[in-house]
Amino acid sequence: MDAPFSHLTRAAHLKSMAEETVDLLVIGGGVTGAGIARDAAMRGIRTALVDKGDFGSGTSSRSSRLVHGGLRYLEHGHFRLVFEASRERRILRKIAPHLVWPRSFLFPIYAGGKLSRWKLEAGLWLYDLLSLFRNVRRHQMLSKRAMQRAEPGLRSRGLKGGARYYDAQCDDARLALANARDAHRHGALVANYAAVERLETADGRVRGAHVTDLVTGTERAVRALVVVNATGPWSDELRASDGETPALHTSKGAHVVVRRERLGNNEAVTFTSPIDGRVMFVVPWGDLTYVGTTETESYDGLDELRADADDVIYLLRSANAIFPEARLTFDDVLTTWAGVRPLLRQQGTDDPGAVSREHAILESSTGLISIVGGKLTTFRVMAAQVTDAVARRLHRIDGRPVADAAPTHKQPLPGGEMRDLDVLIEAIQAEGFPYATAAHLVHTYGSETPAVVRIAQSEPKFAEPVVTDHTTLWAELVYGMRREMAVTLGDLLARRSHLFYAAPERTLEQAPAIAQLAVEEMGWDGERRAAELRVYQHEVASSLSFREDLWADD
Ligand SMILES: Cc1cc2nc3c(=O)[nH]c(=O)nc-3n(C[C@H](O)[C@H](O)[C@H](O)COP(=O)(O)OP(=O)(O)OC[C@H]3O[C@@H](n4cnc5c(N)ncnc54)[C@H](O)[C@@H]3O)c2cc1C
């Protein structure tokens, strides 16, 4: 269903939130908070969801974009997590096939490496077993020759063979958005750019929050029977304001994006960095490849995250060691992103890689429910458990029946109402779109693609690409504003579309024209237009600022 979900919806929802007492206020519109709002709304719980930025603009658009069982968690014995994550991989591919798709990974074995062939094989059998052999396919062990055939650019010195195994890749930002939209579709009040400045308490119990509309500056009190803190890496901030001690162990992870032809990889590759032995990934994304990730515990601040020169050097050196002919340099880096893992604090380990990706639901003395830890792959399970806790609390508050679990595992997310994407791609081609455009649209919008096509057909300009040589159409930006609550240029270019990652500097050339479209579609005035352009320029500059770090050190 193509229900309006625009800046107008946002304004109306913020107003409604202040006019009634909702059952549940979810703070944080990353994949976890949006998933909770979806689950709760599906159970008939009157829900409000707010995020101080865009949906997914926190960690949920800065991940490695993998919906995975987590092969490396086997090393630390986290079997339950791998089992759960493998099941989620299956479910998410079913309810959102356009946003979560299969991806094959090659895992090379090198002489002197910490992983032997038999250990890898045993691990991959266990990986397949924990997915009940219902992964895309079973793993295959490969000879040295087969590895070289599959990935000719791999370092051949010391290569002893390897394996191919399967996981899934996802569009993380759009997955968070899809959950927020589905929450709205089930009746939730949903708003991005709505920051919780402080919690409202009465008689020692949390009763809501003070929410500021960051577009208009309007402040409102939102009253709620139950409040959930789903602010990911920010959750300790909110917990601290509620008198609680820290629950998180955070670490920064960065990625670099290069043109795929520079590495020449055909598939994704899992490898251990020769610098520190950490497991890393090289992952295709259309014509691009991203390399990740780093794991460092120091960073400038949650709201100023960026990949710095040290991050980029580490990633390029690691990638060059495994693809030696590539000789990647700073000049090859199209863009970067960095996020902070909101991991559950654990006693007795200094190794951030060994910290569990398990999650916990914490209830403070004021009644604030916080969800901490976890990973993108398992957000739906986390959401169901939090919503169970909310349903029980609502029952204690007003005696209503405890709401039954919602069928979030089988109800498609928006755009997911079809399994066979190829049929739709053919249908879109029949409308006169080239294959690449049709495939891009269907893999982005799934069963909602016809709505984007209708916009493209409404005006010749909308059927054109925003940036030459890239498939994203002007129609997608219009759709983002009319149907996906895009509010800023960054929303349109980094999270509704991903042009920001493919051609950041070229999007800057188009930014004034896109801002003009926002004037027409969303009524921006001159001041807003100028301010939005400045913010977007800053976002692009920040993603490329690692280049300046070297000079700054001189
Ligand atoms: C580098 C990296 C790679 C990763 N790769 C993977 C992967 O491949 N697969 C995987 O499964 N997991 C991965 N993860 C983990 C995964 O990305 C996170 O666990 C997940 O995205 C967390 O989602 P969240 O909704 O809990 O947090 P977030 O996405 O950070 O959402 C929290 C939201 O709260 C909002 N917020 C904060 N304070 C306030 C406030 N006061 N008022 C209103 N809103 C507020 C923020 O704006 C933010 O949008 C990775 C993480 C990192 C950092």
Side-chain angles (χ1 to χ4, degrees):
M1 189 176 68
D2 187 23
F5 186 73
S6 69
H7 67 288
L8 297 174
T9 324
R10 174 187 172 279
H13 280 190
L14 278 169
K15 198 159 166 282
S16 300
M17 278 181 212
E19 287 169 355
E20 59 177 292
T21 299
V22 292
D23 293 331
L24 169 65
L25 170 64
V26 182
I27 308 170
V31 75
T32 311
I36 295 166
R38 171 184 188 237
D39 192 318
M42 280 170 81
R43 296 190 204 201
I45 295 171
R46 183 68 171 152
T47 302
L49 169 70
V50 292
D51 195 292
K52 69 176 180 173
D54 186 23
F55 310 112
S57 62
T59 324
S60 299
S61 59
R62 296 151 186 271
S63 77
S64 300
R65 303 177 179 169
L66 303 179
V67 167
H68 57 162
L71 184 58
R72 73 197 173 90
Y73 306 141
L74 292 179
E75 198 188 341
H76 302 292
H78 298 144
F79 303 133
R80 197 176 62 90
L81 177 64
V82 175
F83 176 76
E84 193 170 69
S86 303
R87 192 190 54 208
E88 287 307 299
R89 181 181 57 203
R90 212 162 48 238
I91 290 173
L92 293 176
R93 282 187 52 216
K94 202 170 65 192
I95 63 171
H98 58 310
L99 299 178
V100 182
W101 57 92
R103 171 63 70 200
S104 65
F105 285 74
L106 291 172
F107 200 138
I109 303 168
Y110 285 98
K114 70 173 184 180
L115 203 62
S116 63
R117 187 179 171 86
W118 77 263
K119 214 171 159 189
L120 179 61
E121 187 164 14
L124 288 172
W125 273 113
L126 186 57
Y127 204 51
D128 284 343
L129 176 71
L130 288 170
S131 72
L132 308 176
F133 297 102
R134 288 164 73 190
N135 197 348
V136 184
R137 277 198 200 167
R138 289 188 193 181
H139 77 275
Q140 304 130 34
M141 295 308 291
L142 301 177
S143 65
K144 173 174 179 174
R145 180 110 53 91
M147 285 293 287
Q148 284 175 319
R149 258 201 312 274
E151 213 57 271
L154 273 183
R155 192 182 87 216
S156 59
R157 188 168 42 85
L159 182 65
K160 293 174 70 180
R164 178 182 283 118
Y165 71 96
Y166 296 85
D167 256 318
Q169 191 176 10
C170 73
D171 186 331
D172 54 2
R174 293 191 64 86
L175 191 60
L177 174 70
N179 277 278
R181 286 186 56 211
D182 210 36
H184 160 67
R185 191 155 77 165
H186 286 91
L189 301 169
V190 177
N192 50 7
Y193 298 96
V196 166
E197 306 293 353
R198 63 174 191 280
L199 297 172
E200 287 282 314
T201 49
D203 306 326
R205 302 296 289 170
V206 63
R207 302 273 190 229
H210 237 77
V211 176
T212 302
D213 177 343
L214 297 178
V215 175
T216 62
T218 312
E219 290 179 32
R220 295 180 174 94
V222 176
R223 280 160 294 140
L225 299 180
V226 183
V227 179
V228 164
N229 170 12
T231 56
W234 288 265
S235 52
D236 274 344
E237 286 180 11
L238 213 54
R239 278 169 48 78
S241 74
D242 198 37
E244 296 294 318
T245 52
L248 288 181
H249 174 113
T250 56
S251 72
K252 183 179 101 170
H255 291 81
V256 293
V257 182
V258 299
R259 248 178 270 290
R260 184 151 159 201
E261 63 193 24
R262 285 293 291 111
L263 275 175
N265 59 310
N266 296 315
E267 300 179 45
V269 178
T270 306
F271 65 104
T272 49
S273 167
I275 300 171
D276 56 6
R278 286 186 54 256
V279 175
M280 297 182 61
F281 301 108
V282 156
V283 192
W285 185 270
D287 295 342
L288 310 174
T289 285
Y290 55 87
V291 183
T293 162
T294 59
E295 185 128 22
T296 46
E297 296 193 30
S298 65
Y299 47 87
D300 290 340
L302 284 174
D303 295 306
E304 293 97 40
L305 282 179
R306 65 182 192 102
D308 60 28
D310 288 343
D311 294 327
V312 175
I313 289 168
Y314 172 87
L315 294 168
L316 296 184
R317 277 185 58 201
S318 301
N320 283 337
I322 195 96
F323 286 93
E325 296 300 314
R327 296 192 184 87
L328 296 175
T329 68
F330 270 23
D331 290 340
D332 290 303
V333 177
L334 295 175
T335 188
T336 65
W337 72 82
V340 164
R341 300 174 183 83
L343 305 177
L344 191 56
R345 186 179 277 241
Q346 277 183 331
Q347 302 296 332
T349 177
D350 293 330
D351 172 9
V355 174
S356 167
R357 266 57 177 172
E358 307 268 356
H359 61 271
I361 298 169
L362 309 173
E363 298 196 20
S364 76
S365 55
T366 65
L368 178 71
I369 298 176
S370 296
I371 169 81
V372 290
K375 54 187 211 146
L376 183 122
T377 304
T378 49
F379 81 87
R380 198 195 58 83
V381 183
M382 292 156 62
Q385 291 172 5
V386 171
T387 314
D388 285 345
V390 170
R392 285 193 299 270
R393 176 83 68 79
L394 287 170
H395 170 70
R396 285 202 299 277
I397 291 173
D398 58 18
R400 72 181 77 180
V402 177
D404 288 338
T408 57
H409 61 294
K410 55 181 185 196
Q411 191 140 334
L413 281 163
E417 286 93 354
M418 61 179 310
R419 293 304 295 273
D420 193 344
L421 301 182
D422 291 337
V423 172
L424 188 53
I425 293 173
E426 272 175 38
I428 304 300
Q429 279 181 279
E431 297 276 329
F433 291 87
Y435 173 79
T437 307
H440 155 74
L441 290 175
V442 171
H443 285 285
T444 309
Y445 302 97
S447 54
E448 297 187 318
T449 306
V452 182
V453 165
R454 277 197 298 279
I455 296 175
Q457 290 169 334
S458 71
E459 230 182 88
K461 156 105 179 140
F462 293 161
E464 288 172 19
V466 180
V467 170
T468 45
D469 302 333
H470 290 277
T471 39
T472 303
L473 306 180
W474 281 94
E476 295 177 63
L477 305 186
V478 176
Y479 186 76
M481 293 186 236
R482 292 184 190 167
R483 293 283 184 265
E484 296 185 329
M485 208 182 277
V487 171
T488 71
L489 295 177
D491 299 347
L492 288 168
L493 292 166
R495 287 171 293 278
R496 305 300 180 277
S497 78
H498 299 302
L499 278 174
F500 175 88
Y501 298 106
E505 279 153 331
R506 288 170 65 201
T507 59
L508 279 181
E509 292 160 20
Q510 290 298 336
I514 301 169
Q516 186 53 37
L517 187 65
V519 168
E520 289 150 28
E521 289 286 331
M522 299 201 282
W524 286 2
D525 60 18
E527 201 181 322
R528 173 88 188 273
R529 183 178 186 277
E532 294 290 349
L533 281 168
R534 272 196 307 276
V535 170
Y536 186 66
Q537 277 156 5
H538 174 75
E539 284 169 11
V540 171
S542 171
S543 82
L544 297 171
S545 62
F546 67 89
R547 293 176 184 159
E548 281 131 45
D549 292 345
L550 290 185
W551 307 115
D553 286 348
D554 281 349

